Amino acid sequence: MRRGRGLPPLLIIFLLTWGCAGPEIRPPALPPAAPLVAPPPVALPSASARGFPDFIVAIVQPGDSYPSLAGKYLGDRSMDWFISEFNGNSLPAPGEDVLIPLASYAPGGLWPTGYQTVPILTYHKLSRNGAPDAMTVREHDFEAQMRFLRDNGYRVVSLDDLFEFLQLRRQLPARSVVITFDDGWRSVYDIALPILKKYGYPATLFVYTDLIVGSRETLSWEQVRELSRNGFDIQGHSKTHRYLGRKERKESFRGYFEAVRKEIVES
């Protein structure tokens, strides 16, 4: 997103994911790693490029684009944003120089003038024809939102990518977005999956396991496995979806502690 003043990234994530109560999901600790983003560069064409430790200076050729330059020098066309943002997004004319960075130049989205935030779009149910409500988005509206992301230059990244970004281990495109679904409704399989596959977008599904019974409204475990095979990251959202932030009336502290343990461990 645009660099500038605003809420810290961790607070942004907390606020955007607070709408559906559930246990806090924390990723496992990651081993330290160098903050390199780009894959190893391919061999340099000597007549059109010169290599340095942290970047390559290349001469733009007729027909070049940022995806083609990323494929040629970084071995991955999808890294076009990495070169584009470094060069101000405007490709130099043929015959002019373009800089190809080889390492992260803004890990964690930190800049002298501000910092990057990454919105999390959280969904629950989708419907084909029913009226929308606080937890339900209509199919054509969901597809329109995915199309809006594509047409306006947003990049959908995985939750794992976001965690590495927050730990200053990687850089993300400036207009990055994460997509998640809560609970385990069947419409994620019937409606969301085909649309996300169409646009090539990853997503994370947080399931509360007592809901996964395989009905007209809810997912089965085989459908959860099929979602996983098709790019969904599957995570826990408690066992029964009870609110974990407070005891129930007349519940002892020991009983509350055991209930929270059960919600997290059994899920």
Short mmCIF file of all heavy atoms in Angstrom, two decimals, residues 11 55 94 111 161 167 198:
data_model
loop_
_atom_site.label_atom_id
_atom_site.label_comp_id
_atom_site.label_asym_id
_atom_site.label_seq_id
_atom_site.Cartn_x
_atom_site.Cartn_y
_atom_site.Cartn_z
N LEU A 11 -0.75 -3.80 14.38
CA LEU A 11 -2.04 -3.36 14.85
C LEU A 11 -3.06 -3.41 13.75
O LEU A 11 -4.23 -3.75 13.97
CB LEU A 11 -1.92 -1.94 15.41
CG LEU A 11 -3.21 -1.32 16.00
CD1 LEU A 11 -3.76 -2.24 17.09
CD2 LEU A 11 -2.93 0.06 16.54
N PHE A 55 23.30 -5.25 -7.31
CA PHE A 55 22.38 -4.92 -8.40
C PHE A 55 23.06 -5.16 -9.73
O PHE A 55 24.27 -5.37 -9.82
CB PHE A 55 21.92 -3.46 -8.30
CG PHE A 55 23.02 -2.45 -8.36
CD1 PHE A 55 23.42 -1.90 -9.57
CD2 PHE A 55 23.66 -2.02 -7.20
CE1 PHE A 55 24.44 -0.96 -9.63
CE2 PHE A 55 24.69 -1.09 -7.24
CZ PHE A 55 25.08 -0.56 -8.46
N PRO A 94 14.19 2.15 -24.58
CA PRO A 94 15.26 1.32 -25.14
C PRO A 94 16.55 2.12 -25.30
O PRO A 94 16.54 3.27 -25.74
CB PRO A 94 14.70 0.86 -26.48
CG PRO A 94 13.22 0.86 -26.28
CD PRO A 94 12.95 2.03 -25.37
N TRP A 111 10.66 2.46 5.13
CA TRP A 111 11.27 3.48 4.31
C TRP A 111 11.60 4.69 5.17
O TRP A 111 10.99 4.87 6.23
CB TRP A 111 10.32 3.93 3.19
CG TRP A 111 9.91 2.84 2.26
CD1 TRP A 111 8.89 1.94 2.46
CD2 TRP A 111 10.47 2.53 0.99
NE1 TRP A 111 8.81 1.10 1.38
CE2 TRP A 111 9.75 1.44 0.47
CE3 TRP A 111 11.52 3.09 0.25
CZ2 TRP A 111 10.06 0.89 -0.77
CZ3 TRP A 111 11.82 2.53 -0.99
CH2 TRP A 111 11.09 1.45 -1.48
N ASP A 161 3.88 -15.42 3.64
CA ASP A 161 4.66 -14.29 3.12
C ASP A 161 4.52 -13.08 4.04
O ASP A 161 5.50 -12.36 4.30
CB ASP A 161 4.18 -13.91 1.72
CG ASP A 161 4.56 -14.93 0.67
OD1 ASP A 161 5.49 -15.72 0.91
OD2 ASP A 161 3.90 -14.94 -0.40
N GLN A 167 8.57 -10.03 10.02
CA GLN A 167 9.82 -10.36 10.70
C GLN A 167 11.04 -9.83 9.96
O GLN A 167 12.17 -10.20 10.27
CB GLN A 167 9.92 -11.88 10.86
CG GLN A 167 8.84 -12.44 11.79
CD GLN A 167 8.80 -13.95 11.81
OE1 GLN A 167 9.48 -14.62 11.04
NE2 GLN A 167 8.00 -14.51 12.71
N LYS A 198 -9.16 -19.04 -10.76
CA LYS A 198 -9.23 -18.24 -11.99
C LYS A 198 -8.22 -17.10 -11.96
O LYS A 198 -7.56 -16.79 -12.97
CB LYS A 198 -10.65 -17.70 -12.18
CG LYS A 198 -10.81 -16.73 -13.33
CD LYS A 198 -12.26 -16.23 -13.40
CE LYS A 198 -12.42 -15.17 -14.48
NZ LYS A 198 -13.83 -14.69 -14.55
#
